[in-house]
Amino acid sequence: MVLKLIGACMTLGACGSMGLVWAGVHEKRPRQLTALEGALQLLETEITYGATPLPEAMEQVAGRCDPQAAGLFMMTAREFAKMGGVTAAEAWERALGRFFPATALDETDLNILIRFGASLGISDRQDQAKHLKLAMNQLKAAAGRAEAEARKNSNIFKYLGFLGGMLLVLILY
Amino acid sequence: MDTELIFQLAGISIVITVIYTVLKQAGRDEFAFSTLLLGIVVVLAMVIPKIANLFETVRSVFRIY
């Protein structure tokens, strides 16, 4: 009897926390997108006004931007520092490959960032600024969509986790 | 016949109703409907053996073979 009760509590807790985690992922995505957008804004300033070399600019941005996006720029800067003979696009992509799994971003956001990276460091300042603007606009649109989605979905996931757990307990009891 | 089953079914139906309402409020009508269907299937799976048992008892009491 006691064992059954403990099992029921554990099932309920597991399902409930699963729902909370899902809701958390949905809530985190728009914030991370906004953070990335802000970081790209900083990068644009570094490139167009400061004319900072890319490795330094990456470090600067990593130091000043939102901590949620700092990892990506820090890893890119580290790739540059390795002097492994990679282009800026390759360094960006490698950093992205390590940064992406730890975030709540999805494939479309990844594609925006990869496409932006492809143009990184291959042209003059004005052209770089254009590419940065494009990526920022796309991230902003994605953030808006993610925000609407999060408002709709996060509460449902919270409820559904607990209710699903309760249902499972009742069925198995 | 144990009364536990009745309470269990009541609990399941309450939870299913709440899930249905939540999903319907969120505009996920198709998920709401499938939850309802799932609930019906689960409840039927629990009840049908009991009904079969009842028929069996009736048949054996009145000796209808």
Side-chain angles (χ1 to χ4, degrees):
Chain A
M1 191 65 206
V2 177
L3 207 63
K4 239 180 173 180
L5 217 61
I6 294 170
C9 286
M10 278 167 75
T11 311
L12 194 61
C15 288
S17 50
M18 201 170 80
L20 288 181
V21 167
W22 265 90
V25 167
H26 277 255
E27 277 171 1
K28 247 188 249 162
R29 198 173 144 235
R31 265 185 277 140
Q32 283 173 349
L33 284 171
T34 322
L36 278 171
E37 195 199 327
L40 287 188
Q41 181 96 53
L42 285 174
L43 188 62
E44 190 196 2
T45 316
E46 286 293 336
I47 288 175
T48 53
Y49 299 108
T52 323
L54 212 43
E56 247 175 77
M58 287 290 177
E59 256 172 53
Q60 289 281 329
V61 171
R64 279 188 306 170
C65 73
D66 194 295
Q68 281 176 313
L72 176 59
F73 294 90
M74 190 56 92
M75 284 176 205
T76 314
R78 230 173 271 155
E79 288 290 336
F80 281 133
K82 270 190 210 157
M83 299 273 182
V86 293
T87 63
E90 281 165 351
W92 177 260
E93 211 159 300
R94 278 188 203 175
L96 210 50
R98 269 187 289 149
F99 174 74
F100 177 71
T103 60
L105 305 176
D106 68 7
E107 292 293 320
T108 51
D109 312 331
L110 183 66
N111 283 335
I112 294 173
L113 289 172
I114 286 178
R115 271 183 58 193
F116 160 70
S119 66
L120 199 62
I122 56 166
S123 52
D124 60 13
R125 272 194 281 174
Q126 280 78 29
D127 195 55
Q128 290 287 297
K130 271 183 213 157
H131 283 297
L132 273 161
K133 277 259 159 45
L134 174 68
M136 267 152 55
N137 279 337
Q138 283 175 333
L139 282 180
K140 185 178 278 199
R145 259 178 282 133
E147 183 75 45
E149 217 169 275
R151 220 176 298 129
K152 216 172 75 182
N153 284 346
S154 65
N155 269 337
I156 305 178
F157 279 119
K158 273 179 212 160
Y159 287 133
L160 273 192
F162 277 108
L163 289 172
M166 218 182 274
L167 192 65
L168 204 62
V169 166
L170 274 171
I171 289 172
L172 296 177
Y173 207 74
Chain B
M1 182 97 177
D2 42 6
T3 50
E4 218 170 90
L5 185 74
I6 296 172
F7 290 116
Q8 199 176 0
L9 291 182
I12 289 176
S13 29
I14 289 170
V15 172
I16 290 278
T17 313
V18 175
I19 292 179
Y20 180 80
T21 324
V22 167
L23 284 173
K24 191 115 188 165
Q25 283 277 322
R28 300 286 182 89
D29 287 19
E30 69 277 8
F31 281 113
F33 185 69
S34 49
T35 319
L36 215 58
L37 219 58
L38 182 86
I40 289 171
V41 168
V42 167
V43 166
L44 274 186
M46 288 164 87
V47 168
I48 279 176
K50 303 283 175 191
I51 294 176
N53 204 3
L54 174 70
F55 275 130
E56 207 57 47
T57 316
V58 169
R59 264 203 302 195
S60 66
V61 165
F62 294 104
R63 297 181 192 288
I64 312 165
Y65 289 112

